[in-house]
Amino acid sequence: MRRFWDPRQLDHAPVQELHNGGFIAYNENPGRARTIAAAIGATEPSADHGEGPLLCVHSPDYVAFLKSAYADWRAAGRPGDAAGYTWPVVGRRPLDLDRIDARLGQYSYDASTPIAEGTWNAAYWSAQTALSATAAVIADGGAAFALCRPPGHHCGADYLGGYCYLNNAAIAAEAAIAGGKSRVAILDIDYHHGNGTQDIFYGRGDVLFVSIHADPRTDYPFYWGHADETGEGEGQGANLNLPLPRGTTRSDYDGALGKALDRLAAFAPELLILSFGADTFSGDPISFFKLETEDYAPIARRIADLGVPTAILMEGGYAVDALGRNVAAFLEGFSPRS
């Protein structure tokens, strides 16, 4: 299996985040990517596909904001990393806002996703890594892995959140469609629901989104990911959420995975984008499923048995000491079928 990574993704290094009422060290830190890279072996450099594919998903205003937010924050005399603190709950609408504080609220939905000096560069190369793996799969078939960092599945077309700035899965899927694929599926198996990915494709029928995740009644992102969210308009029926309770073990997880795979098989995609989060691990510090390292390979084999060319994109996973082993186990399980 080809594996893609760009070290410029380490440039994103916020110091802290707001979590449960207090500031803590930033969980989505560069050490995550380092431990994965060390565990999976040789990787290929990511090609630069330019900003065009990003702008097919994200609004130009939002991309411009990401590029300038840190510099604007510091120019306003603010210390540390840029982070929002005021959000429009009702009547969110496009506005030409000058003050950086207002724009941070306009283009985000939480306080746990600060913008640091190297955030744009890292997010840009994370997206390029996803595009490189997707291009490899389209060209050669089989499967490829993109070590994406920062992750992407929580951010929408014009907002960031959940440690995510550019939606790598959506960018990859849109690029595949632009390249001639007519049916693309996204399977999200991160602990947290991929609300941004759902939002981007919710009214589309050419991209199927299936997500297995923690029940949003108890877990982030709370406001998205419920089972009754099935799509709208042309996308009605093209969105399947499979929320599971805290404490879910492999035996219970397998049932949800079976439902997800049945829906994917019925859709008959030409390409699968797999948003893989290893925060389903029992030792993850911010998540509450009970999967173990030995569970990842058989889960991967079941997905690989679909026989669909697959780009695997890294999302979450915060038990840094075990993260490399868990990702390597998943890729090992996928490799024989790719």
Side-chain angles (χ1 to χ4, degrees):
M1 180 189 297
R2 297 175 68 179
R3 303 167 186 204
F4 294 86
W5 157 245
D6 192 287
R8 283 168 283 197
Q9 294 174 74
L10 299 174
D11 290 351
H12 173 60
V15 174
Q16 61 185 7
E17 62 175 281
L18 184 62
H19 180 75
N20 289 345
F23 284 98
I24 62 171
Y26 193 60
N27 277 304
E28 203 289 286
N29 60 71
R32 296 181 60 249
R34 291 192 182 100
T35 193
I36 296 170
I40 66 174
T43 58
E44 300 180 44
S46 306
D48 190 348
H49 299 263
E51 284 188 23
L54 282 56
L55 293 168
C56 288
V57 169
H58 295 287
S59 71
D61 289 348
Y62 174 65
V63 170
F65 160 77
L66 286 179
K67 291 179 180 179
S68 68
Y70 179 79
D72 292 345
W73 177 260
R74 298 308 293 264
R78 304 300 176 77
D81 301 322
Y85 59 87
T86 302
W87 291 274
V89 176
V90 178
R92 183 176 183 265
R93 60 192 176 94
L95 291 169
D96 185 13
L97 300 170
D98 181 62
R99 186 165 164 170
I100 182 58
D101 310 65
R103 284 184 282 124
L104 282 162
Q106 183 177 9
Y107 293 117
S108 69
Y109 70 84
D110 69 21
S112 64
T113 314
I115 299 176
E117 185 173 13
T119 297
W120 165 252
N121 198 47
Y124 178 87
W125 284 104
S126 185
Q128 300 306 322
T129 299
L131 288 165
S132 296
T134 303
V137 171
I138 291 173
D140 303 332
F145 175 63
L147 205 182
C148 294
R149 191 267 159 184
H153 70 153
H154 289 306
C155 66
D158 64 349
Y159 59 82
L160 59 87
Y163 306 148
C164 301
Y165 305 86
L166 294 172
N167 194 306
N168 301 315
I171 290 167
E174 196 66 69
I177 290 171
K181 300 297 183 186
S182 58
R183 296 172 70 82
V184 175
I186 301 172
L187 173 61
D188 192 320
I189 56 171
D190 188 274
Y191 178 80
H192 304 94
H193 178 254
N195 56 291
T197 312
Q198 172 177 293
D199 191 13
I200 289 166
F201 295 113
Y202 204 63
R204 301 249 310 253
D206 55 342
V207 177
L208 172 69
F209 179 67
V210 178
S211 180
I212 306 171
H213 54 271
D215 193 331
R217 292 178 299 176
T218 59
D219 282 87
Y220 185 96
F222 306 115
Y223 310 107
W224 306 271
H226 299 268
D228 62 353
E229 297 162 10
T230 58
E232 63 185 13
E234 294 181 4
Q236 181 60 49
N239 195 93
L240 175 63
N241 288 326
L242 298 165
L244 296 171
R246 290 186 174 194
T248 290
T249 61
R250 167 80 187 286
S251 59
D252 296 320
Y253 192 90
D254 276 345
L257 182 59
K259 293 177 182 177
L261 296 177
D262 287 347
R263 182 67 184 90
L264 288 163
F267 184 72
E270 299 169 86
L271 176 72
L272 176 64
I273 305 295
L274 178 57
S275 283
F276 169 57
D279 48 359
T280 50
F281 177 59
S282 63
D284 195 273
I286 63 172
S287 305
F288 303 95
F289 283 175
K290 297 298 181 182
L291 298 186
E292 305 298 342
T293 300
E294 58 268 25
D295 294 328
Y296 286 108
I299 288 171
R301 288 189 196 107
R302 291 189 67 189
I303 300 170
D305 278 344
L306 284 171
V308 178
T310 303
I312 305 167
L313 314 185
M314 193 69 214
E315 298 285 359
Y318 308 99
V320 176
D321 291 345
L323 183 56
R325 294 194 301 274
N326 292 338
V327 174
F330 187 86
L331 298 183
E332 178 73 18
F334 217 102
S335 293
R337 309 290 185 175
S338 60

